[in-house]
Amino acid sequence: MGKLINIDNGGTLTDICVTDADKVYRTKTLTTPFDLSRCFFDGLVKVSKQIYGQEDIVSLLSTTDHIRYSTTQGTNALVERKGPRVGLILTGALSAAALEQIDRRGELYRAIVGDRSIKLELPGDDAALESAAVRAVNALASSGANRLVVAHGGPDRLAAEGRLKKIFLHTFPQHLLGAIPILYSHEVVEDPDDGRRTWTALFNAFLHPAMERFLYNAEHKLRASKAQNPLLIFRNDGHSARVAKTIALKTYSSGPRGGMEGTRALAAHHGIPHLISLDIGGTTTDIGEVRNGSVREDGRGRVEGVPVSFPLCNLVSVGVGGSSIIRAHRDGSVQVGPESVGGAPGPACFGLGGTEATITDAFLLSGLLDPASFFGGELQIDVERARAAIIDKVATMLGVSAEAAAARMEQAWVQKVADSIKAFTDVTPDTTIAAFGGAGPFVICRIAAAAGISRVLIPGLAAVFSAFGLGFSDIAQRYEIALDGDAPLETKKAALRDRARRGMHAEGFALESCKLEYRVQITGPGRDESVPAGDTPLPRRAGEHAALVLEVTKAIARPQLTGRFGAAAVAAAQASTRSVMVDGQRRALPLFRAEDQPVGSQAAGPAVLEEAFFTCLVDAGWRFEVNDNADVLLTRQ
């Protein structure tokens, strides 16, 4: 078996994890938002040096079986409302008001579409329709739209949208410079729910351009560097596929979903009945859960509360991370995010031109972070730059010292994450948090205590855990067809099987080598149910839709988890001390290096536990234990 490369591209940092038999190599690099392929290859170059002792990306790629890639760029684009100006042409029973009502807050619709929508009537005369359609496109282009979605409301959507497609291809041929891309809702997904299908197309149009430019550029560079197999995109349904077989919307929250696959494996390995995943990166905190071995997901997912046509892991992405901008207001309140400085320019302490205050600056000022060891010693951070930003953006407004302002920033940051956990799920005595991501372990004891949770698991690969989690995915595709009509079930199964054969051939596999699973999905008011397809149709109520779904999976190699807790306790090996602000006073806390701890190491807080890419403040009343996989279990006494 060759190497497996997993890459998780975040808003601030890009994580790389390479599995080679029983060895795991990992590294991080700053995300380069101006050219995502640059940080992609920077990471590959860095990890090749770890493996071979020198930079050798050709040897790395030529001995690799699969490269799985995930990104939070789609999530971050929606959180920060950064994307193309989408125009919308509606026909039939659809209206802008109805679509805006689906987005209960209305803000998301205004950010993506705004006033760039036109309701188009469909006269029987083709010449009249062509004239009206051309006027609609010109009007939307004049209003600033640089990408269009066409959606029809009603059972005749295929014919209506197909009629417009024929007109637009004739009038605005795609080979002309400046031609506006047009997306037809029925081509994205075969969903009879008009509102859900239209929102799915809108999200896809919003996310598509950036994903397309980067992914094809990265794949081209991989081929030039002797990669043996196509780049695989890890999707938000927990599976992977080639770039050419993946739509943009399925990259939404794909990075956090990688963490969920790892969380599921952790829960099974350690026998944890309710494990909340807390993936805190630079821009967002992504929260999910595994309960009794199952990842929480919806048959018809939601993006910021808006229903879409595809299954989605039920995650919540909150605009709070290590690089979130923190500001104080005249009323004494402290606001955390959702805006982020990302990796460029990054927090003020990075010294890359950033002037905004972030929690990373606050932790540096408090002493939790050490400039000499931060980011494995590869990125020198400047405490005076952090102090200046905190004074300018927070302390002056609050009328307090820089250190007191840093404490207020931490309180607001912790509370926002804890409140998000409690809003997402019910906390029980069986609940454990899996804390990972570069910022996940920072003050996880305080977050857990504020959420009423007494156990925290920090995976040994916490800093790159979402990247590691990608390795638990297989190559898969999902095909769907409506069960409305009189066609026999076997006929519909055969139609899906033919589509699957062509699709998996494009992935490089024969259908006979894959696992096939047919399911029936019924959705409607108060119902979202997926069950194995049988010979007897499931009863449906008025307003419910049924679809036959075929899931095709080709298993590929994945890592194996090791490590158990409960070994004979030994005293943790203290490396030194670190001066940290605790409850308004600076204290010399014991410093433990995670990678230096023998199996069964235990110690009580207050203390600092640190490794190359994460730092954790262990509060008083908490105790940590390290197992033989370098996983850390924190328990509140």
Side-chain angles (χ1 to χ4, degrees):
M1 184 183 77
K3 298 180 183 69
L4 303 173
I5 297 177
N6 302 326
I7 301 174
D8 178 29
N9 166 239
T12 302
L13 297 172
T14 294
D15 301 341
I16 298 90
C17 185
V18 178
T19 303
D20 185 8
D22 59 346
K23 295 181 179 179
V24 179
Y25 304 89
R26 52 159 187 174
T27 192
K28 286 176 175 282
T29 186
L30 285 174
T31 294
T32 49
F34 53 88
D35 180 4
L36 292 178
S37 65
R38 177 172 171 178
C39 55
F40 184 99
F41 277 86
D42 284 349
L44 292 177
V45 168
K46 284 182 67 175
V47 80
S48 74
K49 189 173 181 179
Q50 284 187 28
I51 296 171
Y52 301 108
Q54 61 183 3
E55 296 178 1
D56 192 348
I57 194 171
V58 172
S59 292
L60 173 63
L61 294 177
S62 63
T63 57
T64 294
D65 284 347
H66 300 289
I67 304 175
R68 298 175 177 97
Y69 174 84
S70 71
T71 179
T72 60
Q73 293 302 315
T75 307
N76 297 343
L78 280 171
V79 167
E80 300 183 82
R81 306 296 188 252
K82 294 179 179 178
R85 295 180 297 277
V86 179
L88 179 60
I89 296 177
L90 299 171
T91 61
L94 277 170
S95 69
L99 291 172
E100 191 167 0
Q101 190 173 13
I102 293 173
D103 172 25
R104 296 179 181 177
R105 294 175 298 175
E107 186 272 333
L108 188 56
Y109 181 86
R110 289 192 295 273
I112 294 177
V113 180
D115 58 0
R116 295 183 299 273
S117 69
I118 288 179
K119 182 62 182 287
L120 187 64
E121 300 301 327
L122 296 177
D125 179 69
D126 285 346
L129 177 58
E130 180 173 345
S131 178
V134 169
R135 286 197 303 271
V137 171
N138 289 336
L140 290 172
S142 298
S143 69
N146 51 23
R147 201 166 193 90
L148 301 182
V149 169
V150 174
H152 178 82
D156 56 338
R157 59 187 177 278
L158 299 182
E161 292 182 14
R163 191 178 171 201
L164 283 172
K165 181 177 181 178
K166 183 178 179 180
I167 290 172
F168 291 145
L169 285 175
H170 172 72
T171 312
F172 304 104
Q174 294 299 298
H175 66 273
L176 293 181
L177 292 173
I180 298 178
I182 303 176
L183 186 67
Y184 302 87
S185 73
H186 76 276
E187 293 183 339
V188 178
V189 63
E190 296 178 6
D191 184 355
D193 186 301
D194 295 325
R196 190 169 59 205
R197 186 184 69 255
T198 302
W199 266 107
T200 302
L202 287 172
F203 284 132
N204 199 65
F206 186 81
L207 298 175
H208 184 97
M211 293 295 100
E212 180 183 46
R213 284 193 302 270
F214 159 63
L215 292 174
Y216 278 104
N217 186 29
E219 191 165 51
H220 174 73
K221 290 183 178 181
L222 284 172
R223 289 197 192 101
S225 299
K226 311 301 182 184
Q228 299 301 294
N229 289 299
L231 176 64
L232 296 176
I233 305 306
F234 178 79
R235 306 187 308 246
N236 50 28
D237 59 7
H239 297 298
S240 298
R242 293 182 59 177
V243 175
K245 301 297 292 181
T246 302
I247 74 167
L249 179 56
K250 289 193 175 183
T251 69
Y252 175 81
S253 280
S254 66
R257 180 61 195 256
M260 290 308 305
E261 292 306 303
T263 301
R264 180 187 354 222
L266 271 183
H269 181 71
H270 290 294
I272 302 173
H274 185 209
L275 189 57
I276 296 174
S277 66
L278 192 68
D279 179 5
I280 308 182
T283 304
T284 59
T285 291
D286 300 299
I287 306 169
E289 69 179 330
V290 175
R291 195 184 289 270
N292 298 323
S294 297
V295 173
R296 176 170 162 180
E297 63 182 0
D298 298 319
R300 302 289 189 180
R302 290 180 176 270
V303 174
E304 294 198 20
V306 175
V308 295
S309 302
F310 298 117
L312 281 180
C313 182
N314 192 325
L315 285 160
V316 60
S317 292
V318 185
V320 52
S323 295
S324 295
I325 295 171
I326 303 180
R327 297 188 179 103
H329 299 290
R330 294 189 183 278
D331 62 0
S333 63
V334 177
Q335 178 183 337
V336 181
E339 297 88 357
S340 170
V341 294
C349 63
F350 281 16
L352 300 176
T355 58
E356 299 288 351
T358 70
I359 198 66
T360 303
D361 298 302
F363 289 147
L364 176 60
L365 192 61
S366 74
L368 177 60
L369 299 181
D370 181 357
S373 60
F374 182 76
F375 204 62
E378 297 178 19
L379 182 63
Q380 292 298 309
I381 50 178
D382 187 335
V383 68
E384 291 309 316
R385 290 179 184 271
R387 182 186 301 275
I390 290 172
I391 290 174
D392 182 44
K393 304 297 183 180
V394 182
T396 300
M397 186 66 70
L398 297 178
V400 299
S401 68
E403 285 75 12
R408 290 282 303 278
M409 292 166 66
E410 180 190 307
Q411 291 168 8
W413 195 83
V414 165
Q415 199 60 52
K416 185 170 183 178
V417 177
D419 289 345
S420 299
I421 292 173
K422 291 187 289 186
F424 178 72
T425 188
D426 294 329
V427 171
T428 71
D430 290 333
T431 301
T432 302
I433 292 177
F436 50 90
F442 272 151
V443 285
I444 188 58
C445 294
R446 297 182 180 184
I447 292 170
I453 298 170
S454 299
R455 282 165 47 98
V456 174
L457 177 61
I458 302 177
L461 293 167
V464 295
F465 190 69
S466 286
F468 179 69
L470 309 184
F472 294 94
S473 69
D474 295 317
I475 296 175
Q477 291 290 352
R478 181 179 188 273
Y479 304 91
E480 180 177 334
I481 191 171
L483 279 177
D484 301 325
D486 299 327
L489 183 63
E490 284 305 317
T491 301
K492 292 186 180 286
K493 282 186 175 181
L496 289 183
R497 198 159 49 245
D498 288 342
R499 290 171 57 190
R501 187 177 300 279
R502 294 191 297 270
M504 295 310 290
H505 177 75
E507 295 280 8
F509 303 104
L511 190 63
E512 289 71 22
S513 68
C514 303
K515 175 186 175 184
L516 278 64
E517 182 181 12
Y518 292 95
R519 300 186 69 84
V520 173
Q521 183 166 343
I522 299 179
T523 55
R527 189 178 187 188
D528 184 357
E529 184 179 2
S530 177
V531 297
D535 297 328
T536 304
L538 293 177
R540 279 182 278 162
R541 298 184 291 268
E544 292 182 339
H545 301 289
L548 180 65
V549 176
L550 171 58
E551 295 179 350
V552 187
T553 305
K554 173 62 180 179
I556 57 177
R558 57 176 59 191
Q560 299 296 316
L561 291 179
T562 60
R564 299 289 180 183
F565 293 107
V570 298
Q574 182 177 335
S576 60
T577 61
R578 181 167 296 173
S579 177
V580 182
M581 292 293 294
V582 178
D583 298 329
Q585 295 183 337
R586 191 164 290 277
R587 298 178 58 183
L589 301 184
L591 173 66
F592 299 93
R593 300 292 305 174
E595 54 266 48
D596 295 339
Q597 302 309 314
V599 177
S601 294
Q602 296 188 24
V608 177
L609 180 66
E610 186 174 74
E611 57 113 76
F613 293 116
F614 80 73
T615 302
C616 175
L617 178 61
V618 182
D619 280 327
W622 287 77
R623 189 172 189 85
F624 73 80
E625 175 187 353
V626 182
N627 71 10
D628 49 327
N629 192 49
D631 299 331
V632 178
L633 182 65
L634 293 160
T635 308
R636 184 164 56 167
Q637 303 302 302

